[in-house]
Amino acid sequence: MNISHIEHIGIAVNSLEEAIPYYEEMLGLKCYAVEEVADQKVKTAFFQVGDTKIELLESTSPDGPIGKFLEKKGQGVHHLAFAVDNVNDSLNELGEKGVQLIDKTARKGAEGLNIGFLHPKATMGVLTELCGKE
């Protein structure tokens, strides 16, 4: 597996409408995309910071993963995402090493990327996402 950089940091928020102005007006960042990922019951907003992005995540349903996270933990850092060459190959490699996976195969995420999650029980409590074009 080859990790090239931190792809993004996912932050769960109650409302994109309320959160985006903070990042734009207070931090001087520019929201370059807002997108809904219907099968994950989430709406996202992205900000570029060097090679890394900030992904704000607003739940579109209380029974979605972000809705459940917000109910349990409130707003805050949700996950850390690493860019890899090939998500399926990376998931296979980590699975063979005994890492507990949430996704055994890649699925489509925001910005058209392939994504796969590692279980936080296997990653010292940090929900970890692998992202890539392949």
Side-chain angles (χ1 to χ4, degrees), residues 17-121:
E17 188 177 324
E18 292 175 9
I20 289 171
Y22 167 77
Y23 285 86
E24 289 188 330
E25 296 167 16
M26 300 301 154
L27 300 181
L29 301 175
K30 173 85 173 105
C31 178
Y32 70 85
V34 175
E35 174 183 353
E36 184 170 343
V37 184
D39 66 326
Q40 294 179 38
K41 300 178 182 179
V42 69
K43 203 163 129 182
T44 64
F46 285 96
F47 302 83
Q48 190 74 44
V49 185
D51 289 338
T52 304
K53 294 178 254 180
I54 301 293
E55 177 188 36
L56 301 182
L57 303 146
E58 175 189 325
S59 181
T60 59
S61 173
D63 68 339
I66 299 302
K68 291 176 184 175
F69 178 89
L70 287 166
E71 177 67 29
K72 186 176 180 181
K73 297 189 176 184
Q75 298 185 107
V77 174
H78 179 260
H79 67 271
L80 180 61
F82 294 104
V84 296
D85 293 335
N86 185 298
V87 176
N88 279 319
D89 289 351
S90 298
L91 290 170
N92 288 335
E93 180 182 331
L94 291 168
E96 288 172 4
K97 290 179 177 178
V99 174
Q100 185 178 354
L101 307 174
I102 292 175
D103 297 302
K104 291 186 177 22
T105 59
R107 55 188 160 111
K108 283 294 176 194
E111 299 194 302
L113 293 175
N114 290 322
I115 64 168
F117 282 90
L118 312 180
H119 201 287
K121 288 180 181 175

